[in-house]
Amino acid sequence: MSRDERMELQSKRLRKVVERVYYNCEPYRDRMQKAGVTPADINTIEDIVKLPFTCKQDLRDYYPFGLLSSPMSEIVRVHASSGTTGKPIVVGYTRNDLAIWNEVGARCFTAYGLGKNDVVQVSYGYGLFTGGLGAHGAVETIGGTVVPISTGNTEKQILMLRDMGVKALCCTPSYALYLAESIEKSGIPMEEFKLRVGVFGAEPWTNEMRREIEKKLGIKAYDIYGLTEICGPGVGHECECQCGTHLHEDHFFPEIVNPETGEPVEPGQPGELVFTTLTKEGMPLIRFRTHDLTRLIYDKCECGRTSVRMEKIMGRCDDMLIIRGVNVFPSQVESVICETEEFEPHFFITVDRVNNTDTFEIQVEVKEQYYTSDINGMLKLQKSLAHKLQSVLGIQPTIRLVEPRSLKRSEGKQKRVLDKRVFKND
């Protein structure tokens, strides 16, 4: 589609979804009335800025089904967020919602070069988490063969990868690294695997981590983007050019706003990503604030696709650490560590407050060939990494070097930060 054709489609779908939530969802109707907006005020996609935002707290406040715009008799599945405290975020899907989810997921897997002759191992968690069933439905839609192994049992994961002739692996990037380490430890040569493609998401990861995974598994690693609140994996995907994530903006309209003021930023400028679901029936979301920080690229991609692209997410508003007045993102730490030959891409950040001063410690695994009992050699490594991180972050952390494979691995989303100040403030 051309940009004009797409905007015409978006405008038509926006009018329809605004009418849906206004007449079928009391909280949305109340909020729009308070803002002085009715469906009659929404004519084109550019009118979207008249509508109020939705945030995660709204989904918790109306838990579990207060934001549905379809009757329960039409809700055929529910999913819920992982890793949240207190009430989970619950999302309901109609049969048509699931069909659209499968369609956008199929676009992603097709872009990765996969088709009906390929075996795909889904090592995302199944159940309330959207990852497993989201990837599963996408693979079945393109006619591929699914190995629905879910998470855990790494020994069996490796067995299936080899014996089933798996072409593509779907999991979190941190678990892909753990699988690579486990394969190396097992002694099974990579030549016995047919693995060529990795479909990774559900947690932030850097291009440096991508290269590490590609080197260890001998694959091409692609990003898949999704949010539980919007539909799970399938909101966007990378293409072969890997110069941004193509967003399926005919179903999910993206905006970038200033995270502090909520005002739209100039095209191409960074800010907080906001989505409006244009075709969802069960639980449409209007201007949902994701807290993901990125920017949008509207130039046509070299692959030929005309959809807008999103730069790799630099972090989240709520993941940013403010340490001694300096903004620090875990992704910045990961980039430096992955670019340094001597270290594994495994680290853990601990932030605390002692005598009213913030402390900032990073535990980092040293690669086996560089880990030594030579104290001077380890001190040299420690100082070198601290200096590199300070030049990037603007603040010097305390580095604690640890043995290879000593930090805890995760089969799901990897936890990399413990901010003890949060508990002290509580």
Side-chain angles (χ1 to χ4, degrees):
M1 278 189 177
S2 69
R3 176 60 48 190
D4 289 342
E5 289 172 324
R6 185 174 285 108
M7 287 182 69
E8 186 177 339
L9 177 63
Q10 290 168 337
S11 298
K12 177 182 176 182
R13 289 179 169 177
L14 178 64
R15 291 193 296 270
K16 187 175 180 180
V17 77
V18 167
E19 287 182 359
R20 185 179 192 88
V21 298
Y22 189 85
Y23 293 112
N24 297 327
C25 182
E26 186 177 346
Y28 266 120
R29 181 167 59 253
D30 290 345
R31 184 167 296 185
M32 287 175 62
Q33 288 175 346
K34 286 178 183 177
V37 184
T38 69
D41 297 313
I42 307 301
N43 297 302
T44 72
I45 195 66
E46 294 174 341
D47 291 328
I48 201 167
V49 295
K50 299 176 183 178
L51 297 166
F53 290 109
T54 310
C55 64
K56 279 193 177 186
Q57 191 57 47
D58 295 323
L59 278 74
R60 294 193 180 101
D61 289 344
Y62 293 102
Y63 168 90
F65 301 126
L67 288 182
L68 290 182
S69 291
S70 293
M72 282 302 296
S73 60
E74 295 178 8
I75 301 298
V76 298
R77 191 195 295 174
V78 294
H79 280 284
S81 60
S82 63
T84 55
T85 57
K87 292 179 180 178
I89 287 169
V90 175
V91 182
Y93 296 77
T94 66
R95 196 170 300 280
N96 190 56
D97 291 338
L98 294 180
I100 290 172
W101 189 7
N102 288 337
E103 176 201 325
V104 293
R107 294 181 190 178
C108 301
F109 281 78
T110 301
Y112 307 144
L114 299 169
K116 63 181 181 180
N117 297 317
D118 295 316
V119 181
V120 181
Q121 184 157 315
V122 179
S123 300
Y124 288 117
Y126 280 65
L128 288 175
F129 174 57
T130 56
L133 285 168
H136 186 119
V139 177
E140 286 189 343
T141 302
I142 64 172
T145 302
V146 185
V147 181
I149 195 166
S150 192
T151 58
N153 201 338
T154 299
E155 193 173 308
K156 183 174 281 188
Q157 296 266 1
I158 295 171
L159 183 73
M160 294 293 102
L161 282 171
R162 184 187 66 180
D163 296 351
M164 297 288 178
V166 171
K167 172 77 172 290
L169 169 68
C170 306
C171 64
T172 61
S174 55
Y175 189 55
L177 275 174
Y178 181 55
L179 274 173
E181 290 176 352
S182 300
I183 291 171
E184 184 180 9
K185 193 175 179 180
S186 74
I188 303 173
M190 286 305 301
E191 289 74 23
E192 293 187 17
F193 296 85
K194 293 184 179 179
L195 196 59
R196 294 292 177 268
V197 173
V199 181
F200 305 131
E203 64 185 17
W205 57 307
T206 61
N207 284 322
E208 291 75 21
M209 191 173 183
R210 185 209 301 274
R211 288 191 285 270
E212 189 79 15
I213 294 171
E214 290 181 335
K215 182 174 69 175
K216 289 187 173 183
L217 287 176
I219 62 173
K220 182 78 169 174
Y222 292 96
D223 200 355
I224 188 166
Y225 180 72
L227 307 89
T228 298
E229 300 86 353
I230 302 302
C231 88
V235 175
H237 65 86
E238 288 184 310
C239 65
E240 65 271 21
C241 301
Q242 292 189 316
C243 53
T245 297
H246 289 273
L247 298 176
H248 300 138
E249 55 176 324
D250 52 333
H251 295 287
F252 319 109
F253 182 74
E255 301 174 76
I256 299 291
V257 302
N258 182 311
E260 295 180 1
T261 67
E263 292 297 317
V265 302
E266 291 295 319
Q269 293 301 305
E272 180 184 354
L273 182 63
V274 173
F275 277 114
T276 296
T277 58
L278 296 176
T279 53
K280 282 191 79 171
E281 298 175 339
M283 201 177 88
L285 290 181
I286 305 298
R287 303 194 80 195
F288 177 74
R289 298 187 69 156
T290 68
H291 295 305
D292 287 334
L293 298 172
T294 183
R295 74 181 185 95
L296 298 179
I297 307 166
Y298 289 93
D299 298 338
K300 184 176 178 180
C301 182
E302 290 183 11
C303 74
R305 292 176 180 83
T306 57
S307 55
V308 67
R309 284 169 289 149
M310 172 183 76
E311 266 195 355
K312 203 159 186 61
I313 292 168
M314 63 173 291
R316 292 175 54 83
C317 305
D318 48 2
D319 279 353
M320 184 179 74
L321 297 163
I322 302 177
I323 306 171
R324 293 175 228 150
V326 177
N327 297 343
V328 174
F329 289 98
S331 58
Q332 295 172 299
V333 176
E334 182 183 289
S335 292
V336 173
I337 290 172
C338 287
E339 286 178 338
T340 308
E341 170 63 27
E342 294 87 354
F343 303 107
E344 296 286 359
H346 299 290
F347 64 93
F348 192 82
I349 299 170
T350 303
V351 184
D352 202 349
R353 183 171 291 122
V354 178
N355 297 326
N356 296 317
T357 301
D358 292 337
T359 63
F360 179 24
E361 179 188 271
I362 307 175
Q363 297 177 62
V364 188
E365 283 189 14
V366 182
K367 288 183 179 176
E368 201 161 350
Q369 62 268 39
Y370 296 105
Y371 194 81
T372 173
S373 58
D374 176 15
I375 295 176
N376 289 332
M378 297 300 283
L379 280 173
K380 186 177 178 182
L381 270 183
Q382 194 177 54
K383 289 179 181 178
S384 173
L385 180 58
H387 178 72
K388 288 179 182 178
L389 285 165
Q390 183 179 22
S391 66
V392 171
L393 304 176
I395 182 173
Q396 183 164 321
T398 299
I399 302 297
R400 186 150 69 89
L401 303 182
V402 299
E403 296 180 20
R405 301 185 179 89
S406 61
L407 292 179
K408 185 179 178 181
R409 304 297 198 259
S410 172
E411 293 166 353
K413 294 186 180 183
Q414 184 70 48
K415 181 176 172 59
R416 297 193 185 276
V417 179
L418 174 60
D419 191 344
K420 294 183 178 179
R421 300 171 303 177
V422 175
F423 306 108
K424 290 182 178 180
N425 289 337
D426 290 345

